[in-house]
Amino acid sequence: MTSRQLNMVQAINSTLDFALSKNDSVVLLGEDIGRDGGVFRVTEGLQAKYGAERVIDMPLVELGIVGMAIGMALNGLKPIPEIQFQDFIFTAFDQLVNQAAKLRYRSGGQYNVPMILRTPYGGGIKGGLYHSQSGEAYFAHTAGLTVISPSNAYDAKGLLISSLEYEDPIIFLEPKKLYRAAKMEVPDEEYKIPIGKASIVREGDDLTIITYGSMVPLVNSAVEKNKVNAEIIDLRTIMPYDGEAILQSVKKTGRAMIVHEAPRTLGMGSEISAFLAERAIDYLMAPILRVTGPDTPFPYRLEDYYMPNERKIMKAVGKLMEFR
Amino acid sequence: MTEDFNDQEEKDVFLRAYSSMILSRMFDKKIVSAQRQGRVGFYTPTIGQEATQVGVSMALKKGDLVYEYYRDVPFMIHRGVPIEILLDQIMGNGEDSAKGRQMPSHYNAKEYNFMSVQSPVAANLPLAVGAAYAIKLRKEDKVVVTTFGDGSTSTPDFHAAMNLASVFNLPIIFLCENNQWAISLPVEKQTKVEIWKKAEAYGAHGVKVDGNDFLETFKVAKEAVERARSGKGPVLIEAVSYRIGPHSTSDDPSKYRSEGITEGSEKDPIVIAEKRLKELDYITDEVIDKMKSEAKRIVDEKFDEREKIPPPKPETMFDDVYKEMTWIIKEEKGEVL
């Protein structure tokens, strides 16, 4: 078994390459994804290899990209639309919420939308208000959508391969801060990471930290550095999230916190807190805490204050451990 | 009348079209009256748009795809969708393919190449463009027709779809069923430009037709379909008719408009069709009366039959959200039932 050192951009690029070569029905569409290879270079070289009819440079209209992709998916293609920045997805929101998410349900299963919508999300790249948002809760709140976010190159490939066989619309959120942050061994061969299954990034006994996307390496390094005996859960699939894995861990540790960069109120942290409050109250030794972005828009110059960081995480860890 | 058929074929085709228009009209009247009696929850009448829809439908082949909107009963009837499918949807009964999940007038008929209908207007247009792209990519001999009202031309979806279809030179017909009213807003307050003229701005072909006349509409649609099928790109047809009824059974048009075309007046598409068919010696008053009473009988009979079907079972509410039911929905199902 051969493998290569790849960053997340390279891992996704090679997986898209694999998808296009293996299945004629796969098409990519998005702004600047062809000749330019995408603003983050995720689709570099694919148009030259597979042609402009399958790696489509789209006019600048998000609702058209998503709407067209849905129409393709309804007609036997496997479209992988890209929205250049997740912040720009909102003009396509009706297409996602009222079309993609509801077609299977409203047609009694006659129609379905096997589409993988890829989009970079999150802060940490000096993107300001409109190139930094984490909108996962909007999508997770919509019945019919499946929301995925990898936190490393290996998972990105395995989750994307599982997504290729999935028959419902997926919002594949790529944490852009991690695109080139680290390289790791990624097998050349095909492998799958199941949708809906979290991974235990690190085992521990004193508390459980539930997180995903760009926060995973941050939480991991904070915990390592400060020698906290924490169990870290990387959700990988945000919706449907792996309730069983969360519950098992929290029953063991008795303390839980959730870390994400999206705003706190009604974010995934709220959902997971409620989930734990409903079924793990007898096991909890401390209140469930959330370390998140604040309920403000995402500020450009002050992004370091906005994003969760080691200090905020350790402060919450201290609070959890000291609670009596 | 046309070179497409010999005389007997032409007579058969035209009479079948008339028959679809009559059946649609009887269907419409039945559902509106059933709604008044509390037997149906809601309905968006089609009355006045029969010729537009049947005329375009006549120009299509079996494999062509239609991304319709919620007022397209005559279109569906003429393409062979059994009225049972429409009735089951309107009643939301246990035989409805969508298990009673949608309000009436939101049909599904995949088997007959109709898309599932949504409420937000014009949202079907970008999907139709995607379908046309798939057809072109696979070099299939098909066209897509997508339908919408005059109000839809104000939406970003209309603009996006017209632009994309033109940029990619796709085999698609945009059928604007201009019935002149978007609920209470008249078309002259919807847009400052005649709808068919908008095509030019996108590099598409635009054409306007009297949508009350099924033969005129058929002629224009046939040219449009041939054009799209032969790779010459999208066509926007503006078929001008009139919404004789209200927007929906929940709407009272007397609040915002005085009467325009009324049922049975000389612009009524059914009256025009009868006149045309009589001129061609294809039909007599006697045959017309017979066809109308037969259509009414069929609709009454089918309505009573479908009305007896029980509602969907409560547990079906949780199906078809995803291919595999998630653990979350399984739990919620357990709590509800």
Side-chain angles (χ1 to χ4, degrees):
Chain A
M1 188 177 106
T2 55
S3 65
R4 280 178 297 167
Q5 282 279 319
L6 300 180
N7 64 30
M8 195 187 286
V9 166
Q10 293 165 323
I12 296 170
N13 179 278
S14 67
T15 310
L16 293 172
D17 192 343
F18 157 81
L20 283 157
S21 70
K22 196 180 162 194
N23 183 351
D24 281 347
S25 300
V26 172
V27 292
L28 272 48
L29 61 160
E31 291 156 13
D32 311 301
I33 66 161
R35 288 178 71 174
D36 191 35
V39 297
F40 288 100
R41 301 282 163 281
V42 177
T43 51
E44 184 88 64
L46 299 177
Q47 191 182 67
K49 207 163 163 185
Y50 299 99
E53 288 189 334
R54 290 184 64 205
V55 180
I56 310 161
D57 274 318
M58 286 292 288
L60 212 164
V61 54
E62 283 74 16
L63 90 83
I65 294 169
V66 176
M68 243 180 92
I70 296 168
M72 291 167 161
L74 291 165
N75 286 278
L77 297 183
K78 180 80 191 183
I80 309 183
E82 176 186 294
I83 297 298
Q84 200 161 71
F85 285 85
Q86 185 249 278
D87 312 63
F88 304 155
I89 216 164
F90 300 109
T91 59
F93 209 50
D94 181 60
Q95 288 292 337
L96 282 171
V97 171
N98 283 328
Q99 298 281 47
K102 290 183 176 53
L103 265 153
R104 181 187 286 279
Y105 194 72
R106 79 174 196 226
S107 68
Q110 288 184 44
Y111 287 106
N112 63 306
V113 182
M115 157 182 102
I116 309 169
L117 187 150
R118 296 181 34 253
T119 187
Y121 84 121
I125 61 143
K126 300 273 182 286
L129 280 141
Y130 301 114
H131 298 78
S132 305
Q133 293 175 67
S134 295
E136 63 270 24
Y138 298 119
F139 310 115
H141 198 62
T142 298
L145 297 181
T146 297
V147 186
I148 291 175
S149 181
S151 68
N152 60 63
Y154 181 91
D155 285 2
K157 177 170 177 175
L159 287 165
L160 196 49
I161 289 174
S162 294
S163 302
L164 290 167
E165 289 175 5
Y166 201 70
E167 293 180 39
D168 289 305
I170 287 176
I171 310 294
F172 199 88
L173 297 170
E174 300 170 0
K176 61 174 99 74
K177 185 176 158 59
L178 301 186
Y179 263 156
R180 295 171 188 280
K183 285 198 173 189
M184 66 194 294
E185 283 297 315
V186 177
D188 291 330
E189 61 173 23
E190 196 182 335
Y191 62 93
K192 286 179 203 160
I193 289 177
I195 291 167
K197 291 280 171 231
S199 83
I200 310 292
V201 176
R202 185 182 186 280
E203 292 194 5
D205 303 308
D206 290 350
L207 78 159
T208 301
I209 306 180
I210 301 129
T211 187
Y212 51 89
S214 70
M215 293 291 104
V216 175
L218 175 72
V219 169
N220 204 29
S221 78
V223 162
E224 294 281 336
K225 210 165 129 188
N226 295 283
K227 300 193 185 350
V228 181
N229 187 9
E231 184 140 301
I232 303 174
I233 296 181
D234 176 359
L235 288 181
R236 300 196 293 203
T237 299
I238 294 173
M239 187 55 73
Y241 60 91
D242 188 346
E244 190 52 40
I246 297 170
L247 198 57
Q248 248 180 39
S249 176
V250 174
K251 281 182 177 176
K252 180 177 76 175
T253 62
R255 292 181 173 86
M257 63 186 261
I258 303 108
V259 182
H260 57 64
E261 51 175 289
R264 176 167 305 171
T265 304
L266 294 177
M268 280 309 293
S270 312
E271 171 56 31
I272 293 165
S273 304
F275 169 83
L276 286 171
E278 281 167 356
R279 10 194 137 204
I281 195 81
D282 293 341
Y283 299 86
L284 287 171
M285 294 183 279
I288 304 157
L289 295 184
R290 292 172 289 172
V291 178
T292 69
D295 289 332
T296 69
F298 196 103
Y300 171 62
R301 280 299 293 274
L302 301 176
E303 115 174 327
D304 291 343
Y305 294 90
Y306 182 95
M307 299 276 285
N309 55 28
E310 187 186 323
R311 188 184 59 79
K312 292 179 195 172
I313 291 165
M314 288 316 299
K315 200 174 154 195
V317 167
K319 213 168 150 185
L320 265 188
M321 297 312 297
E322 285 154 24
F323 185 83
R324 289 287 176 268
Chain B
M1 161 79 206
T2 70
E3 320 91 63
D4 305 308
F5 316 108
N6 66 38
D7 288 354
Q8 187 54 46
E9 276 169 1
E10 182 178 282
K11 184 179 173 185
D12 291 348
V13 167
F14 289 6
L15 284 183
R16 196 175 95 69
Y18 175 69
S19 161
S20 297
M21 291 170 66
I22 289 296
L23 184 59
S24 304
R25 179 65 62 91
M26 293 303 167
F27 184 90
D28 215 60
K29 291 162 87 73
K30 176 74 185 179
I31 306 299
V32 170
S33 106
Q35 195 277 337
R36 300 293 180 234
Q37 295 163 7
R39 295 161 80 188
V40 159
F42 172 89
Y43 182 64
T44 53
T46 294
I47 183 166
Q49 289 168 242
E50 294 93 343
T52 293
Q53 295 173 27
V54 171
V56 173
S57 179
M58 288 168 77
L60 297 180
K61 288 188 188 166
K62 201 162 176 253
D64 295 334
L65 307 180
V66 184
Y67 282 60
E68 78 282 12
Y69 85 123
Y70 48 74
R71 222 183 284 283
D72 280 348
V73 166
F75 209 136
M76 298 184 86
I77 284 178
H78 194 64
R79 292 224 343 137
V81 177
I83 62 170
E84 287 89 332
I85 289 184
L86 308 177
L87 288 167
D88 289 347
Q89 198 287 321
I90 287 168
M91 293 170 181
N93 64 30
E95 296 285 317
D96 170 26
S97 60
K99 300 160 196 171
R101 290 169 186 154
Q102 285 226 74
M103 279 175 90
S105 301
H106 296 64
Y107 312 102
N108 286 289
K110 187 182 183 185
E111 212 185 312
Y112 300 87
N113 288 326
F114 282 97
M115 185 36 59
S116 147
V117 174
Q118 82 292 337
S119 296
V121 300
N124 51 329
L125 272 55
L127 274 57
V129 175
Y133 194 98
I135 286 169
K136 191 180 178 188
L137 187 67
R138 293 210 183 101
K139 302 184 169 60
E140 291 173 336
D141 179 30
K142 291 179 186 172
V143 298
V144 181
V145 175
T146 184
T147 70
F148 51 94
D150 38 302
S152 286
T153 63
S154 293
T155 66
D157 301 62
F158 170 79
H159 164 68
M162 284 298 302
N163 185 52
L164 291 169
S166 303
V167 165
F168 294 115
N169 198 44
L170 298 177
I172 181 168
I173 314 294
F174 292 89
L175 172 62
C176 178
E177 300 183 26
N178 179 3
N179 66 17
Q180 307 188 45
W181 290 89
I183 303 191
S184 66
L185 200 73
V187 66
E188 60 274 13
K189 290 192 177 174
Q190 190 73 245
T191 176
K192 294 298 279 183
V193 184
E194 278 194 88
I195 289 162
W196 68 277
K197 288 183 179 167
K198 295 173 193 279
E200 195 187 343
Y202 297 104
H205 181 66
V207 57
K208 180 179 170 177
V209 66
D210 178 358
N212 289 325
D213 185 332
F214 83 106
L215 290 180
E216 285 299 317
T217 307
F218 171 48
K219 204 172 112 194
V220 164
K222 210 160 58 68
E223 285 168 11
V225 169
E226 271 162 22
R227 193 184 167 94
R229 212 186 286 283
S230 64
K232 291 185 186 138
V235 180
L236 170 63
I237 301 175
E238 177 188 0
V240 183
S241 66
Y242 187 79
R243 198 191 74 206
I244 294 177
H247 162 69
S248 77
T249 48
S250 311
D251 163 45
D252 172 13
S254 70
K255 276 188 74 183
Y256 52 79
R257 71 176 189 190
S258 50
E259 255 181 22
I261 296 175
T262 50
E263 190 183 3
S265 68
E266 61 174 4
K267 293 267 188 172
D268 179 332
I270 300 235
V271 172
I272 292 176
E274 287 164 359
K275 194 169 158 238
R276 299 282 240 141
L277 293 172
K278 281 182 192 166
E279 281 164 8
L280 290 161
D281 263 338
Y282 288 166
I283 206 162
T284 60
D285 283 331
E286 203 187 353
V287 175
I288 289 170
D289 289 345
K290 222 176 118 192
M291 284 175 81
K292 283 183 177 167
S293 56
E294 176 63 6
K296 186 174 181 310
R297 187 191 62 77
I298 290 170
V299 170
D300 286 342
E301 200 179 289
K302 295 287 180 197
F303 189 96
D304 292 344
E305 174 194 309
R306 306 320 284 180
E307 204 178 24
K308 293 192 184 81
I309 298 169
K313 296 200 160 47
E315 59 266 31
T316 62
M317 180 173 98
F318 299 93
D319 297 336
D320 307 317
V321 183
Y322 300 91
K323 189 180 182 211
E324 307 284 342
M325 192 181 289
T326 63
W327 67 267
I328 297 169
I329 297 173
K330 275 183 199 157
E331 280 199 6
E332 289 166 348
K333 183 177 174 181
E335 287 163 18
V336 168
L337 298 171

